[in-house]
Amino acid sequence: MKHIHTTLALFLILHTHAQTLVWSDEFNYHGRPDSTRWTYEQGFVRNQEPQRYTTDNAIVDSGMLIIEARKTPEGYTSASLTTQGKASWQYGRIEIRAKVPAAAGSWPAFWMLGDDRGKVKWPLCGEIDIMEFLGKDPLTVYGTSHYADSTDAYRHQGGTYTATESPANGFHVYALDWYPDHMDWYYDNQKYFTFDVKKSTRGVGKGNIYQKPFYLLLNLALGHEGSWAGPVKDSAFPMRYYIDYVRVYQNDPTLTAMKRVADWQLNNKAKYPAWDWVNAVGYTGISALARIDTTYYRPLLKIGEALSWNTGPTRQMADDYCIGQTYAQLYERYGQKEMMQRFQALADSIQNRPHKEPLEWKNKIQLREWAWCDALYMGPPGLAILAKATNEKKYLDLADSLWWKTTDYLYSKKDSLYYRDSRYFGQREPNGQPMFWSRGNGWVMAGLARMLDNMPLRYKDRKKYESLYKAMAHKIASLQQPDGSWHASLLDPESYKTKETSGTALFCYAFAWGINHHILSREYKPTAERAWQALVEAIQPDGRLGYVQQIGENPQNTTENSTEAYGTGAFLLAGSEMRKLQ
């Protein structure tokens, strides 16, 4: 068979992620700031600043918010507004159009603090300074992140924009684009600083400071002798900070992450033939994304056409007809018979076999039977989807019969886990525990979800699948690591210390699908959410999904740069269900 590879030239997909305005204050009213959006800080709050914050120093007039700093007989006063307790956000574009005061000692700011500020001390809550301006430095705009590193030590990193004329001379837009893996700062749409969010990852299991909700603050502070902002000149009062609007735009962060990972995969040449299982699993995830964004059907259609809708050359091996899942799903959508004719003919030939051979791993049994647990993802879901697409129950019955043949042989009822194949019966990990491979069991759980997703509610064995699903979910959830992932070995994670994202993604998908379809209780929702967070943190700056164990048949270590298309496919399946769960 001709080897057809996915290439950049053929499948380059460029996406602009349109954002939706999810919160704003346009200040098109008169009087006090809107109490449904803002609350006040009061008193002497931070940094030994000389001003006392009050509720009297902010007014909305003529279509803008005016924060005024004053000199009174009792001292300096000003205002600080915050959305704490009213609204907070995780990711998106946060922007303000404002005119800053230029007086010596003035220190207007637009910034954010972590929602957990009341539970943890600064800087563990994190701080994002979207804009700071110092009257003493009339051409410079500052953007800074303040955070704690993996040792909980305080760190900060920032950038500056040098304007050609003082920002105090007119209104300008100050903005932050905040993504799961990085943040970009802008002055009038000119990007001037990028921060790598990985730097703010704390110790194992403690999470990342910038992958949680933050609330807004908007204030006009004052400096003093020896401070960063410098001393105040009394002749400069009153100082006024004019704000035209504050706006928050957001993508669906889960969809954004899915598209980044999918685009990286499609834009990089595949290492294996297009029909190969490595890519075919990737297509199952692309198919899930295409049901959300139909532009992703295009590469799948081109692949099918280039392959003449054929499966791999080893006709009876589940790996080589995994691509049939995609063909059957495309047939469901487009109704073109050529999309499924060859796969259907192959399914007929599989059905005509006796399937009486034992599943012991010898005599190349894997070329004829589902003798390894991975096959429960590669083979049966395609037959189940084909049955649904063609209304031919015999294909589901075939998948059902062979599923339980494999399960009866490889499933350990004592452990609620599957051995990879018969060679692993009795094998032990370094800690003495049985060897149960994370990704192998991930294939099974994801296969269960895909079988149930294409199975009538009154199908004869459906309750058996649901019972198996629940037993595995209970066991797998108990083995989740503190960082939300599962390591390559389920019962000996210490021997494989890094996260393994292909197994984690398959489990995440299975948990989220089970909850969404009311098979698993919502007590598993935190399990799915922690797993998804671990996956998002594994996305590299270029969009690839890292920490994917390479092709193998037993536990192996991973690195941040190790990736494969099946990891992408599993990630996209997980994301498609996490969107519904959220």
Side-chain angles (χ1 to χ4, degrees):
M1 178 178 286
K2 181 179 179 182
H3 286 198
I4 301 167
H5 295 269
T6 305
T7 64
L8 174 63
L10 186 58
F11 296 127
L12 180 63
I13 295 178
L14 299 176
H15 288 276
T16 56
H17 303 306
Q19 292 181 314
T20 301
L21 183 66
V22 297
W23 186 94
S24 72
D25 198 335
E26 305 295 324
F27 303 112
N28 293 325
Y29 52 92
H30 182 79
R32 297 278 190 180
D34 184 349
S35 61
T36 68
R37 291 179 171 90
W38 304 98
T39 187
Y40 296 89
E41 293 189 301
Q42 296 190 57
F44 298 96
V45 177
R46 65 183 68 85
N47 299 329
Q48 300 181 326
E49 295 160 9
Q51 80 284 338
R52 176 172 53 87
Y53 288 132
T54 80
T55 60
D56 297 325
N57 290 62
I59 191 73
V60 178
D61 188 30
S62 302
M64 64 187 69
L65 169 66
I66 305 167
I67 297 178
E68 185 173 270
R70 306 169 186 150
K71 182 179 183 301
T72 72
E74 292 77 29
Y76 302 123
T77 61
S78 188
S80 178
L81 277 63
T82 171
T83 66
Q84 186 177 22
K86 306 283 186 178
S88 61
W89 304 270
Q90 182 175 351
Y91 313 134
R93 181 176 181 86
I94 300 98
E95 68 178 29
I96 184 174
R97 184 174 184 267
K99 180 181 178 182
V100 295
S106 65
W107 186 2
F110 178 53
W111 54 302
M112 305 182 81
L113 286 171
D115 240 2
D116 55 356
R117 178 69 181 91
K119 298 178 181 178
V120 300
K121 293 182 179 180
W122 185 95
L124 298 182
C125 64
E127 176 181 333
I128 307 169
D129 298 332
I130 301 173
M131 179 276 289
E132 291 182 286
F133 178 78
L134 307 179
K136 70 173 187 178
D137 194 359
L139 297 178
T140 304
V141 176
Y142 296 87
T144 312
S145 58
H146 301 264
Y147 58 97
D149 64 14
S150 60
T151 67
D152 285 350
Y154 166 63
R155 297 283 184 267
H156 73 277
Q157 188 172 346
T160 59
Y161 182 87
T162 303
T164 55
E165 63 174 300
S166 175
N169 292 345
F171 283 87
H172 298 275
V173 176
Y174 306 89
L176 174 82
D177 278 350
W178 177 15
Y179 303 96
D181 63 343
H182 72 284
M183 294 186 285
D184 295 325
W185 276 254
Y186 292 86
Y187 173 79
D188 284 343
N189 288 322
Q190 297 293 311
K191 183 167 69 174
Y192 66 90
F193 172 55
T194 295
F195 176 74
D196 182 352
V197 165
K198 284 191 296 185
K199 294 179 179 178
S200 56
T201 299
R202 298 176 62 202
V204 174
K206 295 182 179 179
N208 187 290
I209 282 174
Y210 293 122
Q211 291 175 344
K212 65 184 180 185
F214 277 60
Y215 62 87
L216 286 171
L217 297 100
L218 185 58
N219 67 296
L220 174 53
L222 301 173
H224 55 84
E225 190 70 45
S227 72
W228 185 50
V232 175
K233 290 185 178 179
D234 288 353
S235 60
F237 292 96
M239 303 177 190
R240 295 186 179 92
Y241 180 14
Y242 297 92
I243 297 95
D244 182 27
Y245 62 74
V246 178
R247 295 173 181 168
V248 179
Y249 301 85
Q250 281 191 318
N251 291 316
D252 176 332
T254 301
L255 182 58
T256 298
M258 291 171 68
K259 288 184 174 183
R260 287 188 65 226
V261 172
D263 290 352
W264 182 90
Q265 193 68 57
L266 290 169
N267 293 340
N268 283 269
K269 185 175 180 179
K271 295 185 288 185
Y272 304 98
W275 46 261
D276 188 84
W277 72 271
V278 172
N279 294 316
V281 173
Y283 307 153
T284 63
I286 297 291
S287 295
L289 176 57
R291 288 193 289 275
I292 303 167
D293 182 342
T294 57
T295 61
Y296 285 91
Y297 280 118
R298 292 201 301 266
L300 297 175
L301 291 168
K302 289 182 178 180
I303 290 165
E305 291 164 358
L307 289 170
S308 299
W309 305 100
N310 213 344
T311 58
T314 310
R315 308 300 293 168
Q316 303 290 324
M317 186 181 186
D319 282 353
D320 277 23
Y321 58 85
C322 179
I323 196 171
Q325 297 184 44
T326 299
Y327 295 163
Q329 287 183 314
L330 290 172
Y331 172 71
E332 278 189 295
R333 177 176 174 82
Y334 294 101
Q336 298 176 12
K337 288 186 177 180
E338 64 269 22
M339 293 177 171
M340 44 69 68
Q341 283 177 327
R342 290 187 170 183
F343 177 49
Q344 187 171 12
L346 174 61
D348 288 336
S349 72
I350 295 170
Q351 186 174 42
N352 291 332
R353 289 184 55 82
H355 300 292
K356 300 209 175 180
E357 289 184 86
L359 298 182
E360 186 179 357
W361 195 265
K362 62 182 182 180
N363 300 324
K364 296 185 177 179
I365 185 63
Q366 70 272 23
L367 303 185
R368 301 177 299 281
E369 298 281 351
W370 299 343
W372 72 114
C373 69
D374 313 28
L376 295 183
Y377 185 89
M378 309 301 163
L383 296 174
I385 297 167
L386 182 64
K388 183 180 175 184
T390 62
N391 202 28
E392 291 276 4
K393 179 174 171 287
K394 64 181 182 179
Y395 301 122
L396 179 57
D397 289 342
L398 172 63
D400 176 58
S401 172
L402 297 181
W403 178 286
W404 294 110
K405 178 180 179 181
T406 300
T407 294
D408 290 343
Y409 189 62
L410 295 179
Y411 182 61
S412 168
K413 292 182 179 179
K414 173 178 174 288
D415 299 287
S416 299
L417 297 170
Y418 280 71
Y419 291 101
R420 197 272 181 180
D421 59 65
S422 66
R423 294 171 297 171
Y424 294 90
F425 296 161
Q427 282 206 39
R428 299 283 169 173
E429 294 285 12
N431 68 353
Q433 290 293 321
M435 183 179 289
F436 289 111
W437 184 26
S438 175
R439 185 162 74 223
N441 282 273
W443 291 129
V444 178
M445 279 203 75
L448 276 166
R450 290 176 74 75
M451 283 288 285
L452 287 163
D453 203 23
N454 293 281
M455 181 183 294
L457 292 176
R458 295 188 177 181
Y459 186 72
K460 62 182 178 67
D461 279 341
R462 186 178 177 94
K463 292 298 182 184
K464 284 178 64 179
Y465 287 93
E466 291 184 359
S467 178
L468 175 61
Y469 201 105
K470 293 174 182 177
M472 290 193 72
H474 180 75
K475 181 66 173 185
I476 294 296
S478 72
L479 301 173
Q480 189 176 33
Q481 297 302 299
D483 68 352
S485 75
W486 286 266
H487 293 188
S489 173
L490 289 174
L491 300 188
D492 189 11
E494 287 302 310
S495 291
Y496 309 89
K497 292 185 179 296
T498 56
K499 69 176 75 176
E500 199 290 299
T501 52
S502 60
T504 297
L506 292 166
F507 291 140
C508 181
Y509 164 63
F511 280 110
W513 186 93
I515 297 165
N516 290 335
H517 289 80
H518 311 292
I519 294 172
L520 299 181
S521 73
R522 291 189 69 81
E523 71 182 41
Y524 289 107
K525 186 171 182 278
T527 303
E529 290 173 335
R530 289 193 297 269
W532 180 249
Q533 188 62 47
L535 292 168
V536 170
E537 291 174 4
I539 302 173
Q540 303 306 300
D542 61 0
R544 85 179 69 196
L545 179 69
Y547 298 100
V548 176
Q549 183 184 321
Q550 298 301 280
I551 295 171
E553 56 191 30
N554 52 29
Q556 299 167 21
N557 282 309
T558 66
T559 71
E560 63 181 9
N561 293 317
S562 57
T563 195
E564 283 292 356
Y566 50 76
T568 294
F571 177 87
L572 297 176
L573 287 169
S576 70
E577 291 299 325
M578 288 302 297
R579 290 182 75 246
K580 302 171 191 175
L581 186 64
Q582 294 167 351

